[in-house]
Amino acid sequence: MKRLVAEALGTFVLVLGGCGSAVLSAAFPGLGIGFMGVALAFGLSVLVMACAVGHISGGHFNPAVTLGLLAGGRFPASHVIPYIIAQLVGGITAGAVLYLIASGKGDFNAAASGFAANGYGEHSPGGFSLMAGMITEGILTAVFLIVIMGATSQRAPKGFAPIAIGLALTLIHLISIPVTNTSVNPARSTAVALFQGDWALSQLWMFWLMPVIGAVMGGVIYRVLDEKAA
């Protein structure tokens, strides 16, 4: 139970920190943090929560990461469903809190603003196609898993894993915010799609499918590399 609470808490902070920066701060008049600020917010959210509770639960905060670690031989199958449920609970709770905060502004409209939801085609920030979004989400999630597994390897330098993982997520956002608004995390996508309540729900399938496929690919790739290195 402590592990599940840690996963829920970590995912809560990830969604509130990352999506909150996108909804509340990215385009704030005169002081907006822009794409780079949002990318840093996601990376910092993972970094600080990996340091805070990663030693309790492993610091997944992401269903795709959990499934990728399963594929990589780093996580037991019996824990997968409870972890994913905890991550969704934490993420959706953060989405609800963010919705309540954003609603404090009189002209706020989640459907019209997008509410930091992930999208492709006409709902891609840069107008990128479904195919471009699928490639982006799949490949970048695979890279994320390779970084996670490498940084947490027994042969990796000790104590640096949260920094490497947080910076990797920052880099991923710097690449892909224009394409899909960056998911690589089905819990993050679900958390805001439910409150955006319009097109985001109809496109949510892709932000489950491709991060999971990419994560499994990354887990398998690193497992093969690690065996060869050993």
Side-chain angles (χ1 to χ4, degrees):
M1 182 57 68
K2 289 180 180 179
R3 292 180 179 183
L4 298 181
V5 171
E7 279 298 298
L9 178 59
T11 312
F12 175 91
V13 173
L14 170 63
V15 173
L16 188 62
C19 296
S21 69
V23 171
L24 304 174
S25 305
F28 193 82
L31 297 171
I33 61 174
F35 281 7
M36 183 170 289
V38 173
L40 283 170
F42 274 101
L44 290 172
S45 296
V46 166
L47 192 161
V48 298
M49 292 313 294
C51 290
V53 300
H55 59 285
I56 300 172
S57 69
H60 301 187
F61 317 143
N62 180 339
V65 169
T66 298
L67 291 167
L69 292 175
L70 172 67
R74 295 277 191 91
F75 196 68
S78 60
H79 291 6
V80 167
I81 298 300
Y83 262 54
I84 291 175
I85 291 172
Q87 292 154 0
L88 288 171
V89 168
I92 292 168
T93 302
V97 170
L98 179 57
Y99 184 85
L100 289 174
I101 294 170
S103 298
K105 187 177 180 183
D107 61 351
F108 172 72
N109 184 315
S113 69
F115 201 57
N118 301 114
Y120 54 81
E122 64 178 313
H123 302 297
S124 159
F128 288 84
S129 68
L130 170 61
M131 183 59 68
M134 293 179 76
I135 294 169
T136 300
E137 290 291 327
I139 289 177
L140 292 181
T141 311
V143 170
F144 193 38
L145 257 293
I146 291 169
V147 172
I148 290 170
M149 293 187 68
T152 56
S153 168
Q154 292 295 321
R155 296 193 296 277
K158 303 303 179 185
F160 290 96
I163 299 172
I165 294 166
L167 289 176
L169 190 59
T170 300
L171 175 61
I172 286 168
H173 278 78
L174 289 173
I175 295 168
S176 59
I177 286 177
V179 183
T180 60
N181 218 19
T182 310
S183 171
V184 302
N185 184 338
R188 168 260 189 271
S189 298
T190 302
V192 290
L194 290 174
F195 294 94
Q196 196 278 335
D198 188 12
W199 55 263
L201 288 171
S202 68
Q203 296 195 349
L204 183 59
W205 66 271
M206 197 274 273
F207 299 103
W208 274 87
L209 178 65
M210 294 314 300
V212 168
I213 290 174
V216 170
M217 288 173 53
V220 171
I221 289 169
Y222 189 82
R223 189 173 188 172
V224 171
L225 290 173
D226 195 45
E227 286 175 353
K228 289 185 178 297

